């Protein structure tokens, strides 16, 4: 059963959960799924995927700094899109809500 973001925040606050620890856990969860879904030729793309909290501590970012990663993710006119990051986020939504 899906819940709204507002409801999730309310439940987290009511339970007294450390927000940063929770965001780090979510980041690691999605990062692992993205690495599992990333296409592999040499393994560089998979190894480059990381997660980190922003300076404000309110957002976790999952991604890669490789210049070719957006072309793999979104595709080009010569190559079909392989949206490994978006697919990882979608696949992890159920676990994130837990």
């Amino acid at each position: 059963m899906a819940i709204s973001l507002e409801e999730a925040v309310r439940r987290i606050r009511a339970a007294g959960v450390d927000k940063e620890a929770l965001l780090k856990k979510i980041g690691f969860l999605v990062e692992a799924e993205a690495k599992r879904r990333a296409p592999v030729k040499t393994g560089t793309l998979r190894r480059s995927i990381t997660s980190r909290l922003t300076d404000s501590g309110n957002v976790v970012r999952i991604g890669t700094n490789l210049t070719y990663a957006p072309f793999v993710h979104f595709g080009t006119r010569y190559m079909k899109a392989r949206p490994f990051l978006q697919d990882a986020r979608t696949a992890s939504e159920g676990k994130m809500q837990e």
Side-chain angles (χ1 to χ4, degrees):
M1 174 181 184
I3 61 172
S4 69
L5 178 60
E6 292 80 16
E7 176 64 15
V9 170
R10 187 191 67 71
R11 288 183 186 182
I12 290 166
R13 287 185 180 145
V17 174
D18 178 24
K19 178 181 65 172
E20 286 188 11
L22 181 63
L23 284 173
K24 284 180 183 180
K25 188 174 181 179
I26 289 170
F28 290 139
L29 175 77
V30 179
E31 175 187 335
E33 185 65 25
K35 286 180 177 185
R36 193 179 74 70
R37 292 174 176 271
V40 178
K41 186 171 184 179
T42 64
T44 303
L45 176 61
R46 183 173 281 178
R47 285 190 306 272
S48 72
I49 299 169
T50 61
S51 61
R52 68 174 182 85
L53 285 178
T54 59
D55 292 337
S56 68
N58 292 325
V59 175
V60 65
R61 294 191 182 273
I62 298 103
T64 174
N65 62 353
L66 293 179
T67 56
Y68 66 85
F71 301 112
V72 174
H73 192 270
F74 298 109
T76 68
R77 64 180 164 176
Y78 303 109
M79 179 176 69
K80 71 176 188 150
R82 290 173 278 177
F84 57 96
L85 291 170
Q86 182 62 40
D87 290 349
R89 179 183 171 269
T90 302
S92 299
E93 283 178 354
K95 290 180 183 176
M96 284 189 275
Q97 287 184 11
E98 289 175 14

